[in-house]
Amino acid sequence: MTDTPKTPRFATQAIHAGASPDPATGARAQPIYFTNGFVFDSTEQAADIFNMRRTGFSYSRGSNPTVAALERRVAALEGAKAAVAVSSGQSALLLVMLTLMKSGDAYVASPRLFGGSLGLMRRLDGRYDLKPLFAKGLTPADFEAAITPETRAIICESIVNPCATVMDVEGIAEVARRHGLPLVVDNTLASPALIRPIEHGADIVVHSTSKFLGGSGQTIGGVICDAGRFDWAKTDHYNLITGEWPDYDGLVITERFPDNPFAVACRLFGLRDLGPGLSPMNAFLTLTGIETLPLRMARHCANARTVAAYLKDHPAVAWVSYPGLPGQPGEALAQRYVPQGPGSIFTFALKGGEPAALKFITSLELISHLVNIGEIKSLAIHPATTTHRQLPKDEKEAACVGPDTVRLSIGLENVEDLVADIEQALAQVG
């Protein structure tokens, strides 16, 4: 008989981590705590919670029992010490950047990122002097070459939205360690079912939970995961994490919370001060979605591979960007990091250019014309005029989102029906 492992395996954690039967009622599903405030036992308890001398719930903007269950579950799945749930993936990235950096600081960023991330970075640069230093390419050497004395972090995605390129997270993490920088990885397109960036050296992981974690296209949310191993006290660059907080009686987060100081700083500054908290209903729906994450990701990857292979061989298609196919650029990294497959989001280009791409999208019947990704339903969008519209022409082409390009997010339908829908849409393109 095999001994039960001390740490449950991934699928078990997806169902059970972070939640337990409700002690008050015995309810097995995680209760939804629809309350903005919580009654204190005493004035001393209230003061202690507000001054971070004691853990507990005070106001749902900062923490809520349903949201806390989601934080514990995602932290467990990512192998993190703690997590902070917020109102969207965009706010997760924003809170990470504002917690790490102040005006005048810089960070190295991947040249290929979600269009919303790129837009945020340029806005923060122009208005608040947080300077993105974009690597010239996607290799660890490219990231290292972009580092300057003002650099405070490295930011990349595990799988690039939308071209499905798999990043060398371990190689980039080695660069970050050599230079004493935290590595921030957006793991939205992979989910922890495919890649756990902390195992490859990442220090901070962010998600848009609106995608694969939730899965059904019902909610907006984000989460920040703290690996809990970066030595923040090595420098004086991260003053929100290592400096005194006068309004908390001189609290030094690294001293009082040594296991997860970055997560605590995000909660204090991000949620108490800035305020993008996650609603308990959205947390509940995301928790429910995560229960089937391993099953869904296997089907997502299998369907995407079949659809990508069909498109690759179609005479109307110029190219397909999906490294899960033999002979595709990035195939070796995909096999190394994501043997199940590089997710279900990818791009392809039509030989007929932009008119053909637009005609293809409007001709789809089963696949929805919709801007989200990572849902159980298959989706299509024209990124050059939507998600990546703000990029200059050359950057669009480098990111595989030119005017001839369609982004697909392949869902869980029978793959034969998806191929049939794509086939009829391509037939109308001519």
Side-chain angles (χ1 to χ4, degrees), residues 150-176:
E150 291 75 35
T151 302
R152 302 291 177 259
I154 297 176
I155 300 175
C156 69
E157 296 173 347
S158 55
I159 299 178
V160 178
N161 180 1
C163 62
T165 299
V166 179
M167 298 294 290
D168 185 0
V169 176
E170 189 171 321
I172 298 169
E174 290 174 0
V175 169

PDB file of all heavy atoms in Angstrom, residues 150-176:
ATOM      1  N   GLU A 150      19.244  51.244 -12.341  1.00  0.00           N
ATOM      2  CA  GLU A 150      17.930  51.652 -11.841  1.00  0.00           C
ATOM      3  C   GLU A 150      16.905  50.518 -11.860  1.00  0.00           C
ATOM      4  O   GLU A 150      15.777  50.690 -11.407  1.00  0.00           O
ATOM      5  CB  GLU A 150      17.378  52.817 -12.668  1.00  0.00           C
ATOM      6  CG  GLU A 150      18.119  54.131 -12.480  1.00  0.00           C
ATOM      7  CD  GLU A 150      19.461  54.143 -13.189  1.00  0.00           C
ATOM      8  OE1 GLU A 150      19.560  53.531 -14.288  1.00  0.00           O
ATOM      9  OE2 GLU A 150      20.414  54.739 -12.650  1.00  0.00           O
ATOM     10  N   THR A 151      17.279  49.351 -12.402  1.00  0.00           N
ATOM     11  CA  THR A 151      16.331  48.251 -12.556  1.00  0.00           C
ATOM     12  C   THR A 151      15.969  47.657 -11.199  1.00  0.00           C
ATOM     13  O   THR A 151      16.841  47.358 -10.391  1.00  0.00           O
ATOM     14  CB  THR A 151      16.923  47.152 -13.462  1.00  0.00           C
ATOM     15  OG1 THR A 151      17.260  47.713 -14.727  1.00  0.00           O
ATOM     16  CG2 THR A 151      15.917  46.034 -13.673  1.00  0.00           C
ATOM     17  N   ARG A 152      14.677  47.456 -10.982  1.00  0.00           N
ATOM     18  CA  ARG A 152      14.185  46.920  -9.713  1.00  0.00           C
ATOM     19  C   ARG A 152      13.451  45.591  -9.859  1.00  0.00           C
ATOM     20  O   ARG A 152      13.116  44.959  -8.858  1.00  0.00           O
ATOM     21  CB  ARG A 152      13.241  47.939  -9.050  1.00  0.00           C
ATOM     22  CG  ARG A 152      13.892  49.290  -8.783  1.00  0.00           C
ATOM     23  CD  ARG A 152      14.955  49.219  -7.704  1.00  0.00           C
ATOM     24  NE  ARG A 152      15.614  50.505  -7.528  1.00  0.00           N
ATOM     25  CZ  ARG A 152      16.812  50.813  -8.024  1.00  0.00           C
ATOM     26  NH1 ARG A 152      17.494  49.906  -8.709  1.00  0.00           N
ATOM     27  NH2 ARG A 152      17.340  51.999  -7.811  1.00  0.00           N
ATOM     28  N   ALA A 153      13.178  45.153 -11.091  1.00  0.00           N
ATOM     29  CA  ALA A 153      12.456  43.898 -11.278  1.00  0.00           C
ATOM     30  C   ALA A 153      12.561  43.473 -12.733  1.00  0.00           C
ATOM     31  O   ALA A 153      12.932  44.267 -13.611  1.00  0.00           O
ATOM     32  CB  ALA A 153      10.986  44.047 -10.886  1.00  0.00           C
ATOM     33  N   ILE A 154      12.241  42.208 -12.989  1.00  0.00           N
ATOM     34  CA  ILE A 154      12.099  41.671 -14.334  1.00  0.00           C
ATOM     35  C   ILE A 154      10.679  41.125 -14.446  1.00  0.00           C
ATOM     36  O   ILE A 154      10.198  40.430 -13.542  1.00  0.00           O
ATOM     37  CB  ILE A 154      13.130  40.572 -14.630  1.00  0.00           C
ATOM     38  CG1 ILE A 154      14.553  41.144 -14.567  1.00  0.00           C
ATOM     39  CG2 ILE A 154      12.873  39.937 -15.991  1.00  0.00           C
ATOM     40  CD1 ILE A 154      15.645  40.099 -14.749  1.00  0.00           C
ATOM     41  N   ILE A 155      10.004  41.444 -15.540  1.00  0.00           N
ATOM     42  CA  ILE A 155       8.602  41.042 -15.735  1.00  0.00           C
ATOM     43  C   ILE A 155       8.451  40.322 -17.064  1.00  0.00           C
ATOM     44  O   ILE A 155       8.904  40.829 -18.105  1.00  0.00           O
ATOM     45  CB  ILE A 155       7.667  42.267 -15.692  1.00  0.00           C
ATOM     46  CG1 ILE A 155       7.778  42.990 -14.345  1.00  0.00           C
ATOM     47  CG2 ILE A 155       6.218  41.851 -15.952  1.00  0.00           C
ATOM     48  CD1 ILE A 155       6.980  44.274 -14.262  1.00  0.00           C
ATOM     49  N   CYS A 156       7.827  39.158 -17.052  1.00  0.00           N
ATOM     50  CA  CYS A 156       7.539  38.427 -18.294  1.00  0.00           C
ATOM     51  C   CYS A 156       6.292  37.585 -18.096  1.00  0.00           C
ATOM     52  O   CYS A 156       5.741  37.510 -16.988  1.00  0.00           O
ATOM     53  CB  CYS A 156       8.726  37.557 -18.712  1.00  0.00           C
ATOM     54  SG  CYS A 156       9.047  36.143 -17.626  1.00  0.00           S
ATOM     55  N   GLU A 157       5.845  36.956 -19.163  1.00  0.00           N
ATOM     56  CA  GLU A 157       4.754  35.985 -19.099  1.00  0.00           C
ATOM     57  C   GLU A 157       5.333  34.585 -19.239  1.00  0.00           C
ATOM     58  O   GLU A 157       6.386  34.403 -19.868  1.00  0.00           O
ATOM     59  CB  GLU A 157       3.742  36.247 -20.217  1.00  0.00           C
ATOM     60  CG  GLU A 157       3.038  37.584 -20.094  1.00  0.00           C
ATOM     61  CD  GLU A 157       2.152  37.925 -21.278  1.00  0.00           C
ATOM     62  OE1 GLU A 157       2.261  37.247 -22.323  1.00  0.00           O
ATOM     63  OE2 GLU A 157       1.359  38.866 -21.162  1.00  0.00           O
ATOM     64  N   SER A 158       4.678  33.588 -18.687  1.00  0.00           N
ATOM     65  CA  SER A 158       5.152  32.210 -18.845  1.00  0.00           C
ATOM     66  C   SER A 158       4.868  31.708 -20.255  1.00  0.00           C
ATOM     67  O   SER A 158       5.732  31.101 -20.902  1.00  0.00           O
ATOM     68  CB  SER A 158       4.500  31.299 -17.804  1.00  0.00           C
ATOM     69  OG  SER A 158       3.084  31.401 -17.863  1.00  0.00           O
ATOM     70  N   ILE A 159       3.650  31.936 -20.726  1.00  0.00           N
ATOM     71  CA  ILE A 159       3.275  31.708 -22.121  1.00  0.00           C
ATOM     72  C   ILE A 159       2.755  33.038 -22.647  1.00  0.00           C
ATOM     73  O   ILE A 159       1.894  33.662 -22.034  1.00  0.00           O
ATOM     74  CB  ILE A 159       2.194  30.619 -22.266  1.00  0.00           C
ATOM     75  CG1 ILE A 159       2.716  29.275 -21.730  1.00  0.00           C
ATOM     76  CG2 ILE A 159       1.769  30.473 -23.719  1.00  0.00           C
ATOM     77  CD1 ILE A 159       1.685  28.149 -21.785  1.00  0.00           C
ATOM     78  N   VAL A 160       3.294  33.468 -23.773  1.00  0.00           N
ATOM     79  CA  VAL A 160       3.033  34.825 -24.252  1.00  0.00           C
ATOM     80  C   VAL A 160       1.645  34.930 -24.863  1.00  0.00           C
ATOM     81  O   VAL A 160       1.240  34.104 -25.679  1.00  0.00           O
ATOM     82  CB  VAL A 160       4.101  35.236 -25.284  1.00  0.00           C
ATOM     83  CG1 VAL A 160       3.803  36.637 -25.823  1.00  0.00           C
ATOM     84  CG2 VAL A 160       5.493  35.205 -24.653  1.00  0.00           C
ATOM     85  N   ASN A 161       0.920  35.960 -24.449  1.00  0.00           N
ATOM     86  CA  ASN A 161      -0.368  36.304 -25.043  1.00  0.00           C
ATOM     87  C   ASN A 161      -0.133  37.301 -26.171  1.00  0.00           C
ATOM     88  O   ASN A 161       0.388  38.386 -25.924  1.00  0.00           O
ATOM     89  CB  ASN A 161      -1.255  36.922 -23.960  1.00  0.00           C
ATOM     90  CG  ASN A 161      -2.625  37.318 -24.434  1.00  0.00           C
ATOM     91  OD1 ASN A 161      -2.981  37.135 -25.582  1.00  0.00           O
ATOM     92  ND2 ASN A 161      -3.415  37.886 -23.535  1.00  0.00           N
ATOM     93  N   PRO A 162      -0.500  36.981 -27.430  1.00  0.00           N
ATOM     94  CA  PRO A 162      -1.324  35.842 -27.821  1.00  0.00           C
ATOM     95  C   PRO A 162      -0.611  34.792 -28.668  1.00  0.00           C
ATOM     96  O   PRO A 162      -1.249  33.897 -29.191  1.00  0.00           O
ATOM     97  CB  PRO A 162      -2.379  36.523 -28.679  1.00  0.00           C
ATOM     98  CG  PRO A 162      -1.598  37.565 -29.420  1.00  0.00           C
ATOM     99  CD  PRO A 162      -0.521  38.037 -28.470  1.00  0.00           C
ATOM    100  N   CYS A 163       0.708  34.882 -28.826  1.00  0.00           N
ATOM    101  CA  CYS A 163       1.378  34.034 -29.833  1.00  0.00           C
ATOM    102  C   CYS A 163       1.789  32.670 -29.294  1.00  0.00           C
ATOM    103  O   CYS A 163       2.362  31.866 -30.036  1.00  0.00           O
ATOM    104  CB  CYS A 163       2.578  34.758 -30.416  1.00  0.00           C
ATOM    105  SG  CYS A 163       3.863  35.149 -29.198  1.00  0.00           S
ATOM    106  N   ALA A 164       1.557  32.399 -28.008  1.00  0.00           N
ATOM    107  CA  ALA A 164       1.782  31.089 -27.387  1.00  0.00           C
ATOM    108  C   ALA A 164       3.247  30.726 -27.218  1.00  0.00           C
ATOM    109  O   ALA A 164       3.565  29.581 -26.897  1.00  0.00           O
ATOM    110  CB  ALA A 164       1.063  29.979 -28.166  1.00  0.00           C
ATOM    111  N   THR A 165       4.160  31.674 -27.393  1.00  0.00           N
ATOM    112  CA  THR A 165       5.573  31.398 -27.149  1.00  0.00           C
ATOM    113  C   THR A 165       5.783  31.055 -25.684  1.00  0.00           C
ATOM    114  O   THR A 165       5.299  31.757 -24.791  1.00  0.00           O
ATOM    115  CB  THR A 165       6.432  32.622 -27.513  1.00  0.00           C
ATOM    116  OG1 THR A 165       6.260  32.915 -28.896  1.00  0.00           O
ATOM    117  CG2 THR A 165       7.903  32.367 -27.223  1.00  0.00           C
ATOM    118  N   VAL A 166       6.515  29.978 -25.423  1.00  0.00           N
ATOM    119  CA  VAL A 166       6.835  29.564 -24.057  1.00  0.00           C
ATOM    120  C   VAL A 166       8.171  30.180 -23.663  1.00  0.00           C
ATOM    121  O   VAL A 166       9.173  30.026 -24.367  1.00  0.00           O
ATOM    122  CB  VAL A 166       6.891  28.031 -23.940  1.00  0.00           C
ATOM    123  CG1 VAL A 166       7.248  27.612 -22.511  1.00  0.00           C
ATOM    124  CG2 VAL A 166       5.550  27.418 -24.352  1.00  0.00           C
ATOM    125  N   MET A 167       8.182  30.900 -22.556  1.00  0.00           N
ATOM    126  CA  MET A 167       9.388  31.594 -22.115  1.00  0.00           C
ATOM    127  C   MET A 167      10.303  30.662 -21.320  1.00  0.00           C
ATOM    128  O   MET A 167       9.844  29.728 -20.648  1.00  0.00           O
ATOM    129  CB  MET A 167       9.013  32.796 -21.247  1.00  0.00           C
ATOM    130  CG  MET A 167       8.186  33.849 -21.973  1.00  0.00           C
ATOM    131  SD  MET A 167       9.087  34.674 -23.296  1.00  0.00           S
ATOM    132  CE  MET A 167      10.248  35.646 -22.341  1.00  0.00           C
ATOM    133  N   ASP A 168      11.601  30.949 -21.379  1.00  0.00           N
ATOM    134  CA  ASP A 168      12.590  30.210 -20.590  1.00  0.00           C
ATOM    135  C   ASP A 168      12.622  30.807 -19.186  1.00  0.00           C
ATOM    136  O   ASP A 168      13.511  31.576 -18.833  1.00  0.00           O
ATOM    137  CB  ASP A 168      13.956  30.288 -21.252  1.00  0.00           C
ATOM    138  CG  ASP A 168      15.008  29.434 -20.544  1.00  0.00           C
ATOM    139  OD1 ASP A 168      14.661  28.777 -19.531  1.00  0.00           O
ATOM    140  OD2 ASP A 168      16.167  29.429 -20.986  1.00  0.00           O
ATOM    141  N   VAL A 169      11.620  30.462 -18.380  1.00  0.00           N
ATOM    142  CA  VAL A 169      11.475  31.065 -17.056  1.00  0.00           C
ATOM    143  C   VAL A 169      12.702  30.780 -16.192  1.00  0.00           C
ATOM    144  O   VAL A 169      13.210  31.665 -15.488  1.00  0.00           O
ATOM    145  CB  VAL A 169      10.190  30.554 -16.373  1.00  0.00           C
ATOM    146  CG1 VAL A 169      10.085  31.112 -14.955  1.00  0.00           C
ATOM    147  CG2 VAL A 169       8.966  30.935 -17.190  1.00  0.00           C
ATOM    148  N   GLU A 170      13.207  29.562 -16.253  1.00  0.00           N
ATOM    149  CA  GLU A 170      14.356  29.209 -15.427  1.00  0.00           C
ATOM    150  C   GLU A 170      15.591  30.021 -15.814  1.00  0.00           C
ATOM    151  O   GLU A 170      16.321  30.519 -14.952  1.00  0.00           O
ATOM    152  CB  GLU A 170      14.641  27.717 -15.564  1.00  0.00           C
ATOM    153  CG  GLU A 170      15.681  27.199 -14.592  1.00  0.00           C
ATOM    154  CD  GLU A 170      15.775  25.682 -14.609  1.00  0.00           C
ATOM    155  OE1 GLU A 170      14.721  25.031 -14.715  1.00  0.00           O
ATOM    156  OE2 GLU A 170      16.906  25.169 -14.530  1.00  0.00           O
ATOM    157  N   GLY A 171      15.799  30.193 -17.107  1.00  0.00           N
ATOM    158  CA  GLY A 171      16.946  30.976 -17.561  1.00  0.00           C
ATOM    159  C   GLY A 171      16.833  32.443 -17.160  1.00  0.00           C
ATOM    160  O   GLY A 171      17.818  33.067 -16.736  1.00  0.00           O
ATOM    161  N   ILE A 172      15.636  33.004 -17.278  1.00  0.00           N
ATOM    162  CA  ILE A 172      15.428  34.401 -16.900  1.00  0.00           C
ATOM    163  C   ILE A 172      15.544  34.549 -15.384  1.00  0.00           C
ATOM    164  O   ILE A 172      16.070  35.554 -14.876  1.00  0.00           O
ATOM    165  CB  ILE A 172      14.071  34.902 -17.411  1.00  0.00           C
ATOM    166  CG1 ILE A 172      14.032  34.835 -18.943  1.00  0.00           C
ATOM    167  CG2 ILE A 172      13.800  36.331 -16.955  1.00  0.00           C
ATOM    168  CD1 ILE A 172      12.651  35.046 -19.535  1.00  0.00           C
ATOM    169  N   ALA A 173      15.093  33.537 -14.626  1.00  0.00           N
ATOM    170  CA  ALA A 173      15.225  33.573 -13.166  1.00  0.00           C
ATOM    171  C   ALA A 173      16.690  33.574 -12.745  1.00  0.00           C
ATOM    172  O   ALA A 173      17.070  34.242 -11.768  1.00  0.00           O
ATOM    173  CB  ALA A 173      14.496  32.390 -12.540  1.00  0.00           C
ATOM    174  N   GLU A 174      17.528  32.856 -13.456  1.00  0.00           N
ATOM    175  CA  GLU A 174      18.964  32.865 -13.149  1.00  0.00           C
ATOM    176  C   GLU A 174      19.556  34.253 -13.358  1.00  0.00           C
ATOM    177  O   GLU A 174      20.392  34.709 -12.567  1.00  0.00           O
ATOM    178  CB  GLU A 174      19.684  31.828 -14.018  1.00  0.00           C
ATOM    179  CG  GLU A 174      19.369  30.386 -13.632  1.00  0.00           C
ATOM    180  CD  GLU A 174      19.969  29.377 -14.599  1.00  0.00           C
ATOM    181  OE1 GLU A 174      20.639  29.810 -15.568  1.00  0.00           O
ATOM    182  OE2 GLU A 174      19.762  28.171 -14.394  1.00  0.00           O
ATOM    183  N   VAL A 175      19.118  34.925 -14.406  1.00  0.00           N
ATOM    184  CA  VAL A 175      19.562  36.308 -14.642  1.00  0.00           C
ATOM    185  C   VAL A 175      19.110  37.194 -13.478  1.00  0.00           C
ATOM    186  O   VAL A 175      19.893  38.004 -12.954  1.00  0.00           O
ATOM    187  CB  VAL A 175      18.998  36.837 -15.976  1.00  0.00           C
ATOM    188  CG1 VAL A 175      19.224  38.346 -16.109  1.00  0.00           C
ATOM    189  CG2 VAL A 175      19.626  36.096 -17.150  1.00  0.00           C
ATOM    190  N   ALA A 176      17.856  37.054 -13.075  1.00  0.00           N
ATOM    191  CA  ALA A 176      17.328  37.869 -11.975  1.00  0.00           C
ATOM    192  C   ALA A 176      18.131  37.641 -10.698  1.00  0.00           C
ATOM    193  O   ALA A 176      18.474  38.604  -9.988  1.00  0.00           O
ATOM    194  CB  ALA A 176      15.854  37.548 -11.759  1.00  0.00           C
TER     195      ALA A 176
END
